[in-house]
Amino acid sequence: MDSTITSASQALAAGNPLDAMNLVALRDDAPALALRGIAMAQIGDLVRAKSLLRDAVRAFGPQDRVAQARCIVAETEIALATRDLGWSAKRLDAARKTLETHHDHANAALARHIELRRQLLLGKLDHVEQTLSEIDTTPYPPALKASHELVIASTRIRRLQTQSARQALVRAARYARQSGIPGLMAEIEDAALVLNTPAARLITSGRERLVLLEEVEALLASRSLVIDACRYDVRLGDTTISLARRPLLFTLIRILSEAWPNDISRDMLIEQAFRTKYADDTHRVRLRVEIGRLRKLLKELLDIEATPRGFVLLPGQAQEVAVLARPIEERHGSLLALLADGQAWSSSALAAALGASQRTVQRTLDTLVTTGKVQSFGHGRTRRWLLPSIPTFTTTLLLPTPLPGD
C-alpha cells in the first residue's frame, strides 16, 4: 500500500473524510475508489458513495478478494443507512467469511452487525438476540463495541426492557467517546432520546396523560387490566388476548374501559361503535349480540354486566383498568413508526419490515402523500419515503414487534 493510501485510510479511521478526499480525489485506481466511496458516505452523499464502491469492487477483481469483501461490506452498510434492505445476505455472509479467513476480524464483525441491524429492522428479535449472545466483543475496537451495544439497546427497547436498554446505551456512549467518531456519538444520543420521549397516552378513570416506555413497562407488569390500543389486545399479567382481527369488539371494550368504573349508555355505545346517531331496535339487538361475543372472548380476564341504561365493565381480579392509546390516532401507525426513525425508506424495505405486500404498502404511501403525512423523492427503484418532520414522541409501541407476554 502506498503512503497516500495509508494516510487517507488513517484520516477515514479518525473520522476526517475531507482530509481523505483531498489525498485521493484525483485517483481512479481501486484502493482510491474504495476510499473515496467511504469518504463520500461519511460526508453524506450516499448515492455517489455506493457507485464508487461498486466501481471499486470491479476494479479490485477476484485476485484481491479481501479488498473486494471490504468494499461489499461498506456498500451494504450504505444500503442499510438508506433503508434499502433487499441486499443479498449470502453475498454479505460470503464477504464476512473471506474477511475472517484472512484475519480481518474488525471488518468481519462489522459485516455481522450490519446483518443484525437489518434483522432488527425486520422485527426478527429472537434471531438477533441469539446471535448477540454468541459474540465475544473483547477484541473489538471501541467503535464496533459501541455498535454492538447499540444493537443490544435497540432489542431491549423493542422488548420493553428499559433499564437494560439504558445500561447498554451508557456502555455504547462510553465506547463511542473512546472511538472519537462524532457520527457514532450522535447516533447513540438519538437512540437514548427514545427512552425519554412519550410513547403512548394512558387513560385511567377518565384521566389521560402521556407516558414513557418505562411507565408502559411497569404498567404491563402490574395487576392492571390493560386495553392496548397500540396492539389491539387486552392484557392482564401474563395473559394476552388479541382482538386485532375483531375491530368492532375492540372498539366496544375500549369504550367500556374508558368509561370504567362507570357504566355507559346503550345509545352512546351504538353511536361510537356503529357510528350512527339514530339507534333503533336493530342496533340494540346487534349491540346485545356483540357484547355477548365480547364476554365469551374475554371471560378469562373480565366480565361485562348490563345496567338499567347500558353496560359496565367488571375487571375481575385486576386492580384498575387502563387504556394504552397511541400517541396519535392514526390508521397506518406501524408504517409511520418505521418512517419515524428519520431515514428515507424504500417501499420494498417497508413491505419486508411490515410483512405486507409491496403493492399494499405502495397504495398506503400514496394515500399518506396526498394527506401530507409522508414525502417522497426519487423515481422508480430509487424512490424513497420519509416523514416531513420527526414526531415529538417515540413510536416504539407501534412497531411490528411482539411485547412481553405475546
Side-chain angles (χ1 to χ4, degrees), residues 239-306:
T239 305
T240 301
I241 298 176
S242 175
L243 294 178
R245 296 181 182 275
R246 310 293 293 270
L248 178 59
L249 296 187
F250 185 82
T251 301
L252 286 171
I253 191 61
R254 178 173 175 175
I255 296 168
L256 288 163
S257 300
E258 291 187 5
W260 183 85
N262 302 314
D263 67 346
I264 187 165
S265 71
R266 291 175 177 80
D267 287 348
M268 188 66 74
L269 278 168
I270 290 171
E271 179 181 340
Q272 294 186 27
F274 303 153
R275 298 186 179 182
T276 176
K277 293 183 178 180
Y278 308 101
D280 56 22
D281 288 343
T282 305
H283 293 115
R284 294 188 183 91
V285 170
R286 185 184 174 194
L287 176 63
R288 194 161 57 245
V289 170
E290 299 296 350
I291 290 290
R293 289 173 176 159
L294 201 52
R295 281 196 188 105
K296 187 176 179 181
L297 273 173
L298 302 179
K299 63 182 180 183
E300 189 179 349
L301 303 178
L302 56 88
D303 193 11
I304 300 170
E305 189 174 272

Side-chain angles (χ1 to χ4, degrees), residues 217-235:
E217 180 185 5
L219 176 68
L220 296 182
S222 71
R223 293 299 301 170
S224 297
L225 178 69
V226 180
I227 314 304
D228 188 347
C230 299
R231 308 285 171 145
Y232 298 105
D233 56 35
V234 182
R235 299 164 176 267

Side-chain angles (χ1 to χ4, degrees), residues 8 25 28 37 60 86 96 105 126 132 154 184 197-198 240 329 395 398:
D28 286 323
F60 278 120
R96 179 182 64 79
H105 298 297
D126 292 340
L132 285 172
S154 299
L184 185 57
T197 308
T240 301
E329 297 293 345
T395 53
L398 306 182

Side-chain angles (χ1 to χ4, degrees), residues 123-326:
K124 298 179 179 178
L125 295 192
D126 292 340
H127 170 77
V128 173
E129 288 171 333
Q130 176 63 34
T131 306
L132 285 172
S133 67
E134 298 168 354
I135 296 176
D136 176 14
T137 62
T138 306
Y140 286 3
L144 265 178
K145 286 183 178 177
S147 297
H148 181 81
E149 296 295 343
L150 194 55
V151 175
I152 291 176
S154 299
T155 59
R156 299 294 186 270
I157 289 171
R158 293 278 191 105
R159 295 288 195 196
L160 282 186
Q161 299 170 358
T162 53
Q163 287 305 315
S164 178
R166 284 188 191 280
Q167 292 166 4
L169 285 169
V170 168
R171 293 193 297 271
R174 183 172 69 245
Y175 290 132
R177 285 193 297 273
Q178 290 175 8
S179 74
I181 300 176
L184 185 57
M185 289 187 273
E187 185 178 0
I188 292 166
E189 287 176 7
D190 287 344
L193 287 177
V194 170
L195 294 173
N196 300 316
T197 308
R201 291 179 293 124
L202 180 64
I203 305 168
T204 53
S205 304
R207 296 187 298 275
E208 177 178 328
R209 65 184 178 89
L210 293 171
V211 289
L212 304 176
L213 280 177
E214 211 162 16
E215 296 171 277
V216 174
E217 180 185 5
L219 176 68
L220 296 182
S222 71
R223 293 299 301 170
S224 297
L225 178 69
V226 180
I227 314 304
D228 188 347
C230 299
R231 308 285 171 145
Y232 298 105
D233 56 35
V234 182
R235 299 164 176 267
L236 176 60
D238 294 331
T239 305
T240 301
I241 298 176
S242 175
L243 294 178
R245 296 181 182 275
R246 310 293 293 270
L248 178 59
L249 296 187
F250 185 82
T251 301
L252 286 171
I253 191 61
R254 178 173 175 175
I255 296 168
L256 288 163
S257 300
E258 291 187 5
W260 183 85
N262 302 314
D263 67 346
I264 187 165
S265 71
R266 291 175 177 80
D267 287 348
M268 188 66 74
L269 278 168
I270 290 171
E271 179 181 340
Q272 294 186 27
F274 303 153
R275 298 186 179 182
T276 176
K277 293 183 178 180
Y278 308 101
D280 56 22
D281 288 343
T282 305
H283 293 115
R284 294 188 183 91
V285 170
R286 185 184 174 194
L287 176 63
R288 194 161 57 245
V289 170
E290 299 296 350
I291 290 290
R293 289 173 176 159
L294 201 52
R295 281 196 188 105
K296 187 176 179 181
L297 273 173
L298 302 179
K299 63 182 180 183
E300 189 179 349
L301 303 178
L302 56 88
D303 193 11
I304 300 170
E305 189 174 272
T307 66
R309 75 183 192 113
F311 294 94
V312 64
L313 185 150
L314 303 177
Q317 298 178 349
Q319 296 171 343
E320 68 170 353
V321 178
V323 176
L324 196 61
R326 298 181 175 211

